[in-house]
Amino acid sequence: GRSVGKPLRKGQQALVDTLLPRIAVSSEGPVTSELLFGDTRPLHFEIGFGGGEHMAGRGDRLPHHGSIGAEPLLNGVAQALTHVDGDNGQHPPIGNIRIHHGDALEVLARIPDGALSFVYLLHPDPWPKARHAKRRMMNDGPVKLIASKLKPGGEFRFGTDHPIYLRHALMVMQRHR
């Protein structure tokens, strides 16, 4: 996939330059609630958050939870930063979100087993061609990793409107019950 789309607007670039470094997940070491937020709050992890609308909404509604989002596309990260920053003064800033610009699996691997309350994979790229199926997030390796990071009773929420991807995901999930 690509990591950069259209050029960022001036305000978006300013947020990438100033806000992202303050809320970015570190590039090495463990990723824990204590290190990110200074306490033991429940953690949510969103894989490929797109423009960050869902992540910002959850962060706003659940202020005592922590959200980690990973997105490879810089334009999505920039859009999410506008939500975190309060949508240009329309809302208060959201302080319980941390962002990783890059591969979600890199961060997920550094989260301790059993640490996540929720994992979201909402409308990922379906990679519809058979030869691209190995690129899908809903494959045995990532699903096994996600399962290991969820605490007992934790939830994995997956959504797609792509029928081929749905069938593929159901087959994978059947193997990981």
Side-chain angles (χ1 to χ4, degrees), residues 105-134:
L105 296 177
E106 293 172 5
V107 175
L108 200 56
R110 295 186 291 126
I111 295 173
D113 288 354
L116 296 174
S117 297
F118 291 88
V119 176
Y120 307 97
L121 178 59
L122 305 174
H123 302 282
D125 189 330
W127 294 103
K129 296 179 181 175
R131 70 177 186 260
H132 294 152
K134 64 183 177 269

Side-chain angles (χ1 to χ4, degrees), residues 109-170:
R110 295 186 291 126
I111 295 173
D113 288 354
L116 296 174
S117 297
F118 291 88
V119 176
Y120 307 97
L121 178 59
L122 305 174
H123 302 282
D125 189 330
W127 294 103
K129 296 179 181 175
R131 70 177 186 260
H132 294 152
K134 64 183 177 269
R135 296 180 181 178
R136 293 178 182 152
M137 188 60 70
M138 287 298 291
N139 273 315
D140 291 316
V143 168
K144 184 177 179 183
L145 181 62
I146 291 166
S148 72
K149 302 307 175 176
L150 283 168
K151 61 178 46 180
E155 294 183 27
F156 174 43
R157 296 184 181 181
F158 168 74
T160 185
D161 57 0
H162 196 277
I164 293 170
Y165 200 169
L166 176 61
R167 281 193 300 277
H168 175 84
L170 290 172

Side-chain angles (χ1 to χ4, degrees), residues 14 35 40-41 44 57 65 76 78 80 85 100 108 115 118 129 152 155 160 167 173 176-177:
L35 292 172
T40 60
R41 65 183 64 201
H44 300 227
H65 290 220
D85 195 44
H100 173 69
L108 200 56
F118 291 88
K129 296 179 181 175
E155 294 183 27
T160 185
R167 281 193 300 277
M173 294 301 288
H176 294 277
R177 293 204 272 170

Side-chain angles (χ1 to χ4, degrees), residues 38-99:
D39 54 34
T40 60
R41 65 183 64 201
L43 279 179
H44 300 227
F45 189 85
E46 187 159 348
I47 299 168
F49 56 73
E53 296 88 353
H54 177 264
M55 180 176 62
R58 295 293 290 175
D60 191 42
R61 283 191 297 280
L62 299 168
H64 301 296
H65 290 220
S67 292
I68 304 166
E71 172 62 48
L73 185 61
L74 181 60
N75 297 79
V77 170
Q79 187 175 350
L81 290 170
T82 64
H83 297 304
V84 172
D85 195 44
D87 288 319
N88 297 320
Q90 296 178 27
H91 305 286
I94 304 169
N96 59 340
I97 293 178
R98 301 296 180 264
I99 292 178

